[in-house]
Amino acid sequence: MADTTNFRNGFTMQIDGELWQIVKFQHVKPGKGGAFVRTTLKNIRSGRVVDKTFRAGEKVQGARIERREHQFLYEDSLGLHFMNMEDYEQFSLPTDQIEKRAFLKEGGSIDILFHAETEEPLLAELPKSVELLVVKSDPGLRGDTATGATKPATLESGATINVPLFISEGDLVRVNTDTGDYITRVT
């Protein structure tokens, strides 16, 4: 059992059978009355965000979450198949459980969060940026670079993003997975 003195950003706890992670917290000591801790919690499975207040010293059930690197192997009717990079164990997850699926390519690396006690996979997180090959892109108009114009490009993972006009098919580009924006061309 943990209490409010253990709270920090990223701390995971179990409340009513659900796993919640602290996004931010603030210890408040008013002039009158007892101290309390105001938190913003994110549900690990659903992604729902709520605000919750705890009394100072209140006990909570802590949960241990482990992050393990996996390689994406392939996708079929059962879902997405992954392999643990340490012990080569394989398993699959439903497609809807992977956020930002459009930026995940076969052979790509992904971190999967596991509940340490139950070994249940909870959440999959892509790196902040990935490098993907441009497989389809219309040619840019020569001389139309003063405006910072962009054009759509289809990447090897199937995602379509906007890239500068000088990017052509066969170029390797770095993409921000949080926003889906082009970062740079990789040489």
Side-chain angles (χ1 to χ4, degrees), residues 12-168:
T12 306
M13 65 185 94
Q14 192 165 358
I15 302 173
D16 298 329
E18 293 286 326
L19 291 174
W20 297 86
Q21 190 171 46
I22 295 178
V23 176
K24 66 180 182 178
F25 72 99
Q26 179 183 18
H27 183 79
V28 179
K29 182 154 176 41
K32 189 192 310 183
F36 59 92
V37 179
R38 190 176 294 138
T39 62
T40 301
L41 303 172
K42 180 179 179 182
N43 188 308
I44 289 184
R45 289 186 182 94
S46 69
R48 190 173 58 131
V49 177
V50 297
D51 292 326
K52 183 164 175 62
T53 303
F54 296 90
R55 292 183 314 275
E58 185 175 340
K59 301 280 187 197
V60 294
Q61 178 66 43
R64 207 174 85 224
I65 304 298
E66 293 179 354
R67 177 183 307 268
R68 300 180 194 149
E69 184 180 2
H70 286 73
Q71 181 180 24
F72 172 53
L73 299 174
Y74 61 93
E75 180 177 7
D76 63 9
S77 61
L78 298 175
L80 302 171
H81 295 267
F82 299 94
M83 178 177 66
N84 187 320
M85 300 299 284
E86 294 174 6
D87 61 8
Y88 306 110
E89 183 178 324
Q90 296 181 18
F91 70 97
S92 65
L93 288 175
T95 306
D96 61 345
Q97 200 169 353
I98 310 295
E99 290 184 30
K100 304 169 198 144
R101 162 66 182 102
F103 299 111
L104 185 60
K105 68 175 181 175
E106 287 187 10
S109 179
I110 187 169
D111 285 343
I112 299 181
L113 303 179
F114 286 85
H115 190 276
E117 287 83 33
T118 63
E119 289 296 319
E120 174 191 3
L122 300 171
L123 186 68
E125 293 180 346
L126 264 74
K128 295 292 182 199
S129 66
V130 293
E131 294 178 359
L132 298 167
L133 194 66
V134 176
V135 293
K136 183 174 184 257
S137 177
D138 296 329
L141 299 174
R142 190 169 188 83
D144 191 14
T145 58
T147 60
T150 61
K151 62 182 180 177
T154 304
L155 306 174
E156 64 182 312
S157 65
T160 301
I161 64 167
N162 287 325
V163 297
L165 296 176
F166 61 84
I167 299 293
S168 58

Side-chain angles (χ1 to χ4, degrees), residues 4-15:
T4 57
T5 59
N6 300 107
F7 283 7
R8 64 192 174 287
N9 291 342
F11 180 79
T12 306
M13 65 185 94
Q14 192 165 358
I15 302 173

